Amino acid sequence: SLSFYNKWNKLQPSILLGDWTYEFIIKERLKRKHIEDTNFSHLFQIIKITKDLVSIGIPAYKATYLKEAIDSVLNQTYTKFELIIVNDKSPENIEEIISTYNDKRIRYYKNEDNLGKTSIVLNWNKCLSYANGDFFVLLCDDDIMLPNFIATMLGLVKSHPQCNVFKTRTLLIDSKTNTNIGKSPLFPKYETFADFLSNTIIGKENIQYGIFYRTQHIQQLGGYQIYPAGYYADDASILLFCNNNGIASTEESLIVIGKVKITFLQAHVG
């Protein structure tokens, strides 16, 4: 049942283990919590379904390029994900766009009040609160993921199992000419917290884009750091999240930022 799944979801381990170890840990934790359900074969199926699930959150307010953002997620080569879209009480036609999709991986929510008037970070954390996956990433409502984004990030997870934070480079598109006008800086494949802090201070990029996290790690740290209007919240958050285990990065540019047009999507996504 859904209620039983929710109980399990709150108890899931913070690290990826083999299926047998997962089953043993969950059994023991359920016993300690006095949860009455002996159907462990059913539980084991839930574990297999949800293991390595990736949660993608879109904090939605602008409608202009929302469809392109959603399509870029649905076009991922790795298909085991949930797409969480949280409408921050936008006056634009967000719901009309969502209604055109019939994909069970899309989960849509609408805030009763506009959180962005206080800080856009509140809606980032609202997206995070709905996440069921082992991993979490935010995607702005006017950006896109290239098709191998998730698969590449999971490759980083495998090669850097000590990390909780994983990063891709970004590609910047000029909204008027629809052309590539640059990439974010190339960082080392792995950096300690101190090295990353130094590179961020002397660096030239907004580090909000394309950050892939272990969900439970950032939830345990309280989610994204809330600053008025969101200024510096992304910088402060990622520095908090990578404090103990550093950050792993890919050389590829897999997130497109700027005002993406359909012709660019056709050329790069198919």
Side-chain angles (χ1 to χ4, degrees), residues 115-176:
L115 302 180
K117 63 185 177 184
T118 301
S119 174
I120 61 171
V121 185
L122 293 172
N123 206 31
W124 300 357
N125 282 330
K126 182 61 75 74
C127 291
L128 177 61
S129 73
Y130 292 127
N132 293 312
D134 293 307
F135 304 97
F136 181 79
V137 60
L138 276 179
L139 181 69
C140 294
D141 58 16
D142 56 359
D143 296 337
I144 68 168
M145 295 177 168
L146 293 187
N148 59 331
F149 171 79
I150 296 179
T152 301
M153 292 294 101
L154 290 175
L156 278 180
V157 171
K158 186 175 181 180
S159 59
H160 296 85
Q162 80 281 12
C163 291
N164 295 303
V165 183
F166 310 87
K167 187 176 184 297
T168 180
R169 299 174 73 188
T170 53
L171 185 65
L172 180 61
I173 299 301
D174 184 278
S175 59
K176 294 182 179 179

Side-chain angles (χ1 to χ4, degrees), residues 53-269:
L53 179 71
V54 176
S55 299
I56 300 144
I58 298 182
Y61 190 79
K62 304 182 298 294
T64 307
Y65 298 99
L66 178 60
K67 184 180 187 305
E68 286 79 3
I70 294 172
D71 289 346
S72 77
V73 175
L74 299 181
N75 281 324
Q76 291 296 299
T77 58
Y78 184 88
T79 59
K80 196 173 179 180
F81 62 80
E82 60 178 1
L83 174 54
I84 301 161
I85 303 171
V86 183
N87 178 350
D88 195 19
K89 202 174 182 182
S90 171
E92 301 185 19
N93 63 326
I94 303 295
E95 291 186 356
E96 181 180 337
I97 294 170
I98 303 301
S99 68
T100 64
Y101 292 92
N102 184 24
D103 192 310
K104 294 181 179 179
R105 295 172 297 180
I106 296 177
R107 298 168 56 202
Y108 174 71
Y109 305 89
K110 185 175 182 180
N111 295 334
E112 294 183 1
D113 299 304
N114 175 250
L115 302 180
K117 63 185 177 184
T118 301
S119 174
I120 61 171
V121 185
L122 293 172
N123 206 31
W124 300 357
N125 282 330
K126 182 61 75 74
C127 291
L128 177 61
S129 73
Y130 292 127
N132 293 312
D134 293 307
F135 304 97
F136 181 79
V137 60
L138 276 179
L139 181 69
C140 294
D141 58 16
D142 56 359
D143 296 337
I144 68 168
M145 295 177 168
L146 293 187
N148 59 331
F149 171 79
I150 296 179
T152 301
M153 292 294 101
L154 290 175
L156 278 180
V157 171
K158 186 175 181 180
S159 59
H160 296 85
Q162 80 281 12
C163 291
N164 295 303
V165 183
F166 310 87
K167 187 176 184 297
T168 180
R169 299 174 73 188
T170 53
L171 185 65
L172 180 61
I173 299 301
D174 184 278
S175 59
K176 294 182 179 179
T177 62
N178 199 34
T179 56
N180 176 4
I181 59 175
K183 297 180 180 180
S184 59
L186 178 63
F187 283 153
K189 292 183 179 179
Y190 173 77
E191 298 167 280
T192 64
F193 168 77
D195 289 339
F196 184 71
L197 176 61
S198 175
N199 285 330
T200 300
I201 291 173
I202 66 172
K204 325 81 183 167
E205 67 167 326
N206 182 315
I207 58 177
Q208 168 190 350
Y209 307 98
I211 313 296
F212 194 83
Y213 300 107
R214 293 190 192 273
T215 308
Q216 192 172 66
H217 175 72
I218 65 173
Q219 287 177 335
Q220 289 174 340
L221 290 173
Y224 296 93
Q225 300 301 288
I226 299 173
Y227 282 63
Y231 296 121
Y232 306 112
D234 45 3
D235 303 75
S237 297
I238 190 174
L239 290 170
L240 171 67
F241 299 152
C242 74
N243 186 23
N244 293 326
N245 300 99
I247 183 169
S249 301
T250 176
E251 297 179 357
E252 298 179 68
S253 300
L254 299 174
I255 296 288
V256 182
I257 64 176
K259 307 309 180 187
V260 184
K261 296 185 179 178
I262 193 66
T263 52
F264 182 85
L265 278 171
Q266 290 172 339
H268 290 78
V269 181

